[in-house]
Amino acid sequence: MLRSLKLTVLAATIYSTTLMAQDADPQRYPLIPYPQELTAQQGEFVVGRNTNIVSANAFAGEVKQLQLLMTTFLGAKLPVSSKVGQSSIVLVQDNTIKGEEEYQLEITPARITLRARTGDGIFRGIQTLTQLVPLAGHHGTEKMKTIAFPAATIKDHPTYDYRGMHLDVARHFFSVKYVKKFLDVMALYKMNKFHWHLSDDQGWRIEIKKYPLLTEQGAWRTYNNQDSICIEKSKDNPDMALDQEHIIQRTGKTLYGGFYTQAEIKEVIAYAAARHIEIIPEIDMPGHVMAAIKAYPFLTCDSENGWGKTFSTPICPCEETTFKFAEDVFTEIAALFPSKYIHLGADEVEKTSWAKSPACEAVMKANNLKSVEELQSYFVKRMEKFFNSKGKKLIGWDEILEGGVSPTAVVMYWRSWVPKAPIEAAKNGNRVIMTPGNPLYFDGVPDRNSISNVYHFNPIPKGLTAAEAANILGAQANIWTEWIPSEKRADYMYMPRMTALAEVLWTNQPRYDHYMNRLRVSYSLLDLMGVNYRLPDLDGFAGDNVFVDKGSLNVIKPLDIMTVRYTTDGSIPSVQSPQLSGALTITKPETIKLSAFSPTGNRGDIYTLKYRQQNYLKPIDGAGLQAGLQLGMFNGAFKSATKIKSAADATVTVSNVEIPEELGKGGKPFGAKLDGFIDVPATGIYSFYLTCDDGGILYIGGEEVVNNDGWHAPVQKSGQVALEKGLHPLQVAFVEGGGGYTLKLEYSVNGSKIQPVPDSWFKRK
Ligand code: ACM
């Protein structure tokens, strides 16, 4: 007995990074996040109209949520009773269970027993049940006669207490209905903190009774530059159109905007509370306040309102009238939101107006402040005292570290290019929430690598002791909405990659392949919830494709339930476009547009495939070459890989297409050129996939194969080239505009799996 137990433990250790030996069938248990412990059992528990719910009084709210779940699928509300019957779901309050959100779920053919000490735990267990509803063959609107839950024994608790999602409703506005749907999706994946970014330069979104102009004026704008660009983009992608419900006509003008009344805010807070989600409000100060300043110009030092060199004019921390305003606003915020946290923002402050202000000169002198950074700290610290007086803790973006931070403030880390910030904060004893731009800014357009990047994110930065690491509360993904003008686009941006974050923060046991299998099953539930998630990628082609005599397009689709449709006339594929079921033969240069469609008609990414004819490139004679590539580094900010200057500032040898960490550190902009040869083992059509943040271009045999140029977040682009077996000249030109960088080259040949290019293929003079 003991022996076999030891063997199981050993097996679990060996397989821990891929598929765990005991991982349950993903089809039967498509749970995300995966439970800490799950033992699959034989049989099912069948819930029908004869099933009752038996519950401790303490869980009245959770019982309602369980009834809601069953009503959704069965169309009938299960009765609550005090007695266990023939068919019962029993909720037990168990004070021996320690964790705040911990639960135990036992599903046997006889009954379901869900135990927890708290309502939090019971609610998380109900989400597990929701994901266990078998949906194969189920069609959206029709109700089920019974639900057969697969038998299992589950013991579960989260790794991190803070599992957050942020939504910016200032840049574009999102309705109460949408925020509720967002909370439903969060709850389903056991996320528990909603950071609501309620004000910014482009809009003030919450009613403040004492300052009515904040919403009367600050909630509305004529179309700004971002709106115009979104409208332009909507010609190719309808999800980029502004949601019509937020457009009004006022005194002959078309205005965009909206705000939440305090009654609506309360309604959303209650909705979140029922789903065991805490809402943390952010009112961003002293920067990002243009919308408020427009309504109340006295807030700045010099009555100016507009854009400075980098950011907008902030409010003035050197006038008591500013503090009066801020305290009045936060008094209403503190009264509305039950959370113990209030987020002050305090990011990206343009301090030039402070440096010029006589009032600030006086405040700095009186308080012995040496710099405008210390003046920012003075503002933040005063506000923290005020928050504390209301029983609240302050959260601020990591700029609050500049100029000195109080040890009790919670630091929200976002600036990927300042990697020491969370480490210093945690060592200083500050609590830290990790939201690094890469990979947790979900406003970055997702591609085929995004889910993996999120899944492999470690919330604990390197360089902390275990005691210091305990200061990392958890992590959060942020959805900034400058370029997210609609609810459908918002869904697309955060789903399904939020599910990867949910598993990192809750389970924290890497099993990526198993997770991907569970994710594939879980799309059916998202379809039912009407979530416009990003469909999984199609494979089997590159962006720029070549053929020698004739080509064959063999699209590999990741889900059987999806259909693939295409056009050849440049139009966007729709559900009416011809379906691509087999291989398509290409005999002439042409452009094909492809898209996958879910059963509900949700369209995946639009792929534009260009085909051109090419003869196999002849190899060169490679006598005397050595292993590796030559890397030239160029200091300076180059907007494009074609603009890198001619003489390198430093040259080193590398073994692959990479820039060693020590060369790119410090967040400075730079250019880089990797030169050498690629030695391909067989004649074929090679697809190359170049992932860059910022931009890069791949040349092979003197031809441009992939152009992923310009400054942007990590994104993958691909191209093809027909190569004869042997050596071909290769160059990768790369630019980084500042901040963290990504550079990766992968390949596939004749439609094989995408894989890293091995070191042994690279040669140099
Ligand atoms: C931020 O992205 N400015 C916090």
Side-chain angles (χ1 to χ4, degrees):
M1 185 65 198
L2 202 59
R3 219 179 111 80
S4 69
L5 195 72
K6 269 195 183 143
L7 277 177
T8 318
V9 172
L10 189 67
T13 316
I14 292 169
Y15 289 107
S16 66
T17 55
T18 52
L19 251 173
M20 294 204 183
Q22 76 278 26
D23 282 348
D25 175 7
Q27 202 70 42
R28 190 167 150 91
Y29 303 96
L31 293 170
I32 302 176
Y34 199 67
Q36 300 295 351
E37 290 176 48
L38 184 162
T39 310
Q41 309 284 8
Q42 299 282 322
E44 281 86 29
F45 176 77
V46 179
V47 171
R49 286 162 183 245
N50 61 333
T51 305
N52 68 2
I53 299 172
V54 182
S55 171
N57 288 338
F59 300 141
E62 291 69 37
V63 166
K64 273 203 192 123
Q65 294 297 319
L66 183 57
Q67 285 177 312
L68 201 62
L69 161 66
M70 298 306 173
T71 307
T72 304
F73 290 103
L74 294 173
K77 190 168 162 183
L78 299 189
V80 183
S81 113
S82 56
K83 282 211 182 68
V84 177
Q86 283 287 54
S87 171
S88 295
I89 302 173
V90 187
L91 308 185
V92 181
Q93 185 164 36
D94 183 341
N95 289 322
T96 68
I97 292 177
K98 294 273 176 319
E100 219 45 54
E101 297 177 89
E102 187 172 347
Y103 70 94
Q104 296 174 4
L105 179 63
E106 182 86 39
I107 306 173
T108 71
R111 83 176 49 123
I112 292 179
T113 312
L114 174 57
R115 322 173 78 85
R117 182 171 53 83
T118 66
D120 285 343
I122 294 289
F123 184 78
R124 303 296 172 228
I126 294 170
Q127 301 317 300
T128 299
L129 277 177
T130 308
Q131 294 189 351
L132 288 175
V133 174
L135 291 177
H138 173 72
H139 298 288
T141 48
E142 84 195 21
K143 295 295 173 197
M144 298 173 170
K145 288 206 169 57
T146 57
I147 311 172
F149 287 94
T153 310
I154 291 173
K155 286 188 173 173
D156 204 10
H157 66 269
T159 303
Y160 291 97
D161 290 340
Y162 194 109
R163 306 182 305 280
M165 286 298 293
H166 151 288
L167 183 66
D168 165 13
V169 296
R171 272 52 177 270
H172 284 103
F173 185 59
F174 293 84
S175 63
V176 166
K177 187 159 167 253
Y178 182 75
V179 173
K180 286 181 175 175
K181 178 178 151 190
F182 189 81
L183 292 165
D184 283 335
V185 180
M186 280 181 66
L188 179 63
Y189 294 95
K190 302 187 172 71
M191 300 296 275
N192 66 350
K193 310 282 178 196
F194 174 50
H195 170 175
W196 209 355
H197 183 80
L198 287 161
S199 69
D200 215 302
D201 294 320
Q202 295 85 347
W204 186 282
R205 304 290 176 218
I206 179 169
E207 176 191 21
I208 300 294
K209 305 259 190 210
K210 213 161 188 172
Y211 298 92
L213 297 184
L214 285 173
T215 44
E216 275 171 35
Q217 293 183 10
W220 303 98
R221 64 176 187 239
T222 50
Y223 290 160
N224 65 20
N225 190 28
Q226 289 151 356
D227 295 325
S228 315
I229 292 173
C230 288
I231 292 166
E232 183 60 30
K233 286 188 178 209
S234 71
K235 289 181 189 154
D236 285 335
N237 180 353
D239 293 357
M240 292 303 289
L242 275 59
D243 280 335
Q244 288 299 310
E245 63 175 313
H246 308 312
I247 298 170
I248 59 163
Q249 304 296 325
R250 192 195 270 172
T251 55
K253 279 197 187 134
T254 300
L255 298 179
Y256 175 88
F259 67 93
Y260 310 109
T261 63
Q262 292 200 357
E264 286 171 325
I265 293 278
K266 285 182 189 155
E267 180 188 329
V268 174
I269 292 169
Y271 192 88
R275 285 150 188 80
H276 295 265
I277 294 173
E278 177 179 340
I279 300 190
I280 298 165
E282 180 188 355
I283 301 292
D284 205 344
M285 292 183 191
H288 287 268
V289 219
M290 263 169 75
I293 296 169
K294 193 164 71 177
Y296 296 100
F298 74 85
L299 288 169
T300 65
C301 289
D302 53 11
S303 301
E304 295 290 316
N305 188 21
W307 290 95
K309 227 165 107 192
T310 320
F311 308 117
S312 59
T313 306
I315 58 175
C316 190
C318 312
E319 301 282 0
E320 287 309 307
T321 46
T322 305
F323 283 100
K324 169 92 172 59
F325 169 83
E327 291 179 6
D328 285 345
V329 167
F330 282 112
T331 298
E332 293 191 30
I333 296 289
L336 273 172
F337 290 87
S339 171
K340 66 171 184 271
Y341 296 114
I342 295 179
H343 202 309
L344 179 68
D347 56 324
E348 299 185 321
V349 182
E350 170 98 26
K351 305 179 185 85
T352 39
S353 63
W354 299 354
K356 286 190 290 198
S357 150
C360 286
E361 198 181 331
V363 166
M364 287 172 72
K365 201 162 165 202
N367 293 279
N368 197 23
L369 306 174
K370 305 269 178 312
S371 63
V372 282
E373 281 67 39
E374 288 186 19
L375 190 53
Q376 148 108 346
S377 272
Y378 162 84
F379 175 78
V380 174
K381 284 177 182 163
R382 261 188 81 166
M383 292 314 297
E384 186 185 13
K385 282 214 181 77
F386 183 75
F387 286 10
N388 293 163
S389 77
K390 300 279 172 195
K392 307 287 185 182
K393 288 182 201 287
L394 178 142
I395 305 181
W397 297 108
D398 61 65
E399 284 98 325
I400 63 171
L401 295 166
E402 294 168 358
V405 67
S406 114
T408 47
V410 178
V411 175
M412 188 169 268
Y413 172 63
W414 72 280
R415 292 177 302 166
S416 294
W417 63 94
V418 193
K420 65 179 196 304
I423 300 167
E424 285 179 3
K427 283 187 188 294
N428 190 41
N430 288 93
R431 297 303 180 97
V432 181
I433 299 159
M434 299 295 288
T435 76
N438 182 12
L440 295 186
Y441 267 36
F442 284 5
D443 46 311
V445 178
D447 70 6
R448 64 170 67 241
N449 295 316
S450 308
I451 293 176
S452 167
N453 291 344
V454 175
Y455 196 88
H456 294 104
F457 164 71
N458 181 358
I460 307 291
K462 283 198 198 103
L464 296 180
T465 65
E468 289 160 356
N471 285 332
I472 308 291
L473 296 176
Q476 170 179 291
N478 297 333
I479 310 177
W480 301 103
T481 57
E482 286 94 332
W483 311 107
I484 305 179
S486 73
E487 297 176 355
K488 286 188 93 175
R489 184 69 177 174
D491 277 2
Y492 170 90
M493 298 299 279
Y494 87 96
M495 285 301 282
R497 60 183 150 168
M498 184 195 81
T499 69
L501 181 62
E503 185 145 314
V504 170
L505 295 175
W506 179 280
T507 325
N508 209 249
Q509 301 171 20
R511 37 160 83 78
Y512 183 67
D513 295 346
H514 192 252
Y515 155 79
M516 286 304 285
N517 288 334
R518 283 176 276 131
L519 180 59
R520 283 186 194 102
V521 183
S522 72
Y523 289 123
S524 304
L525 187 51
L526 295 177
D527 283 334
L528 270 185
M529 293 172 84
V531 178
N532 185 50
Y533 57 88
R534 178 176 188 271
L535 265 60
D537 291 278
L538 300 174
D539 278 312
F541 51 83
D544 285 317
N545 299 270
V546 300
F547 60 94
V548 175
D549 298 322
K550 59 181 186 193
S552 177
L553 170 60
N554 261 310
V555 175
I556 304 164
K557 55 176 190 171
L559 290 179
D560 287 342
I561 55 168
M562 294 184 346
T563 50
V564 178
R565 297 178 185 278
Y566 74 104
T567 64
T568 52
D569 60 1
S571 64
I572 295 167
S574 70
V575 282
Q576 277 86 40
S577 305
Q579 194 172 329
L580 190 63
S581 19
L584 194 68
T585 303
I586 313 290
T587 53
K588 58 178 195 319
E590 62 180 328
T591 299
I592 296 171
K593 282 188 190 284
L594 285 179
S595 260
F597 291 84
S598 74
T600 52
N602 173 6
R603 181 176 52 212
D605 280 11
I606 300 157
Y607 299 84
T608 302
L609 281 51
K610 292 191 190 118
Y611 278 86
R612 67 196 159 88
Q613 198 280 331
Q614 190 185 47
N615 295 327
Y616 288 111
L617 299 186
K618 297 274 178 226
I620 57 131
D621 172 20
L625 294 182
Q626 305 179 56
L629 294 169
Q630 199 156 54
L631 165 63
M633 294 292 293
F634 302 78
N635 301 333
F638 307 99
K639 283 268 180 189
S640 154
T642 57
K643 296 208 167 113
I644 301 174
K645 64 187 177 191
S646 55
D649 296 294
T651 307
V652 295
T653 302
V654 289
S655 52
N656 208 309
V657 174
E658 65 197 0
I659 294 163
E661 228 174 272
E662 65 272 16
L663 292 182
K665 71 178 178 206
K668 291 205 187 70
F670 63 85
K673 276 188 185 170
L674 292 127
D675 280 293
F677 302 86
I678 186 164
D679 191 2
V680 296
T683 298
I685 304 236
Y686 286 81
S687 300
F688 288 97
Y689 303 83
L690 183 66
T691 306
C692 299
D693 166 5
D694 289 301
I697 306 177
L698 167 71
Y699 303 92
I700 293 181
E703 298 208 8
E704 182 184 290
V705 178
V706 186
N707 188 331
N708 196 357
D709 204 4
W711 287 4
H712 49 68
V715 68
Q716 185 188 68
K717 291 238 167 110
S718 57
Q720 286 187 335
V721 58
L723 297 176
E724 245 178 56
K725 171 178 167 20
L727 279 160
H728 300 269
L730 169 141
Q731 185 184 66
V732 175
F734 176 76
V735 287
E736 168 52 43
Y741 61 89
T742 305
L743 175 62
K744 187 162 77 174
L745 183 66
E746 295 163 294
Y747 84 102
S748 72
V749 59
N750 300 331
S752 74
K753 194 170 172 244
I754 300 175
Q755 50 207 306
V757 182
D759 291 355
S760 61
W761 287 20
F762 294 112
K763 298 280 179 330
R764 69 191 164 91
K765 282 204 177 117

